[in-house]
Amino acid sequence: MTGGAADGTTRGVALVTGAGSGIGRATARRLAADGWPIVLVDRDGGRLKDTVDGIGAPVLEHLVCDLTAPSAIQDEIAAVVDRLPVGLLVNNAGVGFRATAGATTDEQWDTTLALNLTAVFRLCRLVLPGMIQRQRGCIVNIASAGGLVGLRQRAAYCASKAGVIGLTRALAADHAADGVRVNAIAPGTVDTEWVERMLADDPDAPGTRRMMEQRQLDGRMGTPDEVAAGVSFLAGPDGRFANGSVLVLDSGLTAV
Ligand SMILES: NC(=O)c1ccc[n+]([C@@H]2O[C@H](COP(=O)([O-])OP(=O)(O)OC[C@H]3O[C@@H](n4cnc5c(N)ncnc54)[C@H](O)[C@@H]3O)[C@@H](O)[C@H]2O)c1
C-alpha cells in the first residue's frame, strides 16, 4: 500500500523509536516500504545513521536522544510532533536484563521502567492530542511475551511489559471514539543483538540459546522482519478491526 504525500499529509507520518537496531530497524524499513514517511529515534547515533543509510527510502527526520531523559520527549520529540502530523507511533525502544526480583537493584528497576513503560506513556500522551484533533491515528506498542506470562530471571522486564499491555488497553478504551487505535505486539524471542547481550555473561551461552529456540514451536527464534510485518498489519487498513489487541508473535511460546 502506498502512503500519502511525502510530508505525510494524508495519513500522517510514522515515528519509530529504537530504530537503530533489531526490531525497530526492521520496522522502519517495512513502514518505509509500505509508503509511510518516517521519523526515527534512537539514543545510538551511529547505529541510527546505519538504519537511515540502509533504508532505501527518504527518512524525514532522525533524532538521537535518550528517551529516559525528560527533555528528550518534552522538548526534542515535542518539536517534531509540532512540525509533523504523527499518524503512527511505534513504541519499540526497550531494555532488559536477567535477574530475579531479589537480585534487581533499585537503579535497574528504575531504568527498565523509565524506558519500557514511562517513556511509552509520555510518547503516547504527546502524540494523542494531534491524533484526536485529526480524528485519526494508530499506536503500536512493542510489548513482549514476558508481558503475558512470567519468564524466569526477568522480574523488572515482565512487570514493565505487562504495564505496557495494560496501558495499551486503557488507551484503546479512552480513544476509540476519537478515531485512534492502540495495539500491542507480544513477540517471543527474536534474534537481535538483544539476545547476544542476554547471553554475554552466560556460562553456557550455546545451551541457553538452544533452550530459547526450542521453547518456541518452530524450534527457532523469530526474525525482526516477522515482527515488523505485524506492525505493518496493525498500522494498515487490514488491521482496522484491531483495537486494544495484543498480537502474539511467539511461535507458541505462550501457548504450550
Ligand atoms: N529480541 C527479543 O527477543 C524481544 C522479544 C520480545 C520483545 N522485544 C522488545 O522489542 C523491542 C526491541 O528489541 P530488540 O530486540 O530489537 O532490541 P535491540 O537491543 O536490538 O534494539 C533496541 C534499540 O533501542 C535503543 N534504545 C535503548 N535504550 C534507549 C533509550 N533510552 N532511548 C532511545 N533508544 C534506546 C537501542 O539503542 C537499540 O537501537 C524492545 O522493546 C524489546 O523489549 C524483544
Side-chain angles (χ1 to χ4, degrees):
M1 197 188 71
T2 55
D7 64 352
T9 47
T10 305
R11 59 180 170 168
V13 311
L15 192 156
V16 182
T17 71
S21 174
I23 294 168
R25 177 175 286 177
T27 297
R29 212 169 33 227
R30 175 63 190 253
L31 294 176
D34 287 351
W36 283 93
I38 51 175
V39 175
L40 306 179
V41 178
D42 203 285
R43 76 170 166 194
D44 184 329
R47 312 222 35 167
L48 188 58
K49 175 86 168 44
D50 289 345
T51 299
V52 171
D53 291 346
I55 215 154
V59 173
L60 283 184
E61 299 201 22
H62 62 284
L63 274 83
V64 180
C65 59
D66 177 349
L67 292 167
T68 63
S71 63
I73 295 172
Q74 274 166 30
D75 302 334
E76 295 173 61
I77 301 188
V80 174
V81 171
D82 280 348
R83 275 197 305 278
L84 295 169
V86 174
L88 168 63
L89 168 65
V90 183
N91 278 308
N92 165 76
V95 286
F97 62 97
R98 284 151 61 107
T100 61
T104 300
T105 64
D106 281 354
E107 194 192 347
Q108 285 173 316
W109 175 269
D110 290 345
T111 309
T112 305
L113 272 286
L115 180 62
N116 293 10
L117 185 55
T118 305
V120 171
F121 155 69
R122 288 185 177 143
L123 281 163
C124 291
R125 188 177 58 180
L126 181 71
V127 302
L128 274 165
M131 291 179 172
I132 293 166
Q133 194 192 10
R134 292 185 291 277
Q135 289 288 292
R136 182 173 196 182
C138 180
I139 297 174
V140 179
N141 295 323
I142 306 299
S144 169
L148 295 168
V149 297
L151 299 176
R152 287 184 184 84
Q153 301 244 330
R154 301 282 193 284
Y157 182 73
C158 288
S160 69
K161 294 298 188 177
V164 167
I165 289 171
L167 176 66
T168 299
R169 291 173 173 151
L171 292 176
D174 280 339
H175 298 293
D178 300 317
V180 179
R181 293 185 299 111
V182 188
N183 292 288
I185 296 181
T189 305
V190 178
D191 204 357
T192 68
E193 287 174 26
W194 170 289
V195 174
E196 299 313 317
R197 277 197 306 278
M198 288 279 179
L199 295 177
D201 60 353
D202 190 316
D204 179 23
T208 305
R209 175 175 265 277
R210 246 189 332 275
M211 177 281 289
M212 287 170 150
E213 290 166 349
Q214 285 167 3
R215 68 186 178 180
Q216 309 194 128
L217 294 179
D218 277 4
R220 66 172 177 91
M221 293 189 191
T223 68
D225 285 342
E226 287 169 330
V227 181
V231 178
S232 170
F233 164 73
L234 289 171
D238 288 344
R240 64 187 172 272
F241 199 50
N243 202 0
S245 306
V246 183
L247 176 59
V248 182
L249 297 174
D250 71 347
S251 186
L253 171 65
T254 57
V256 294

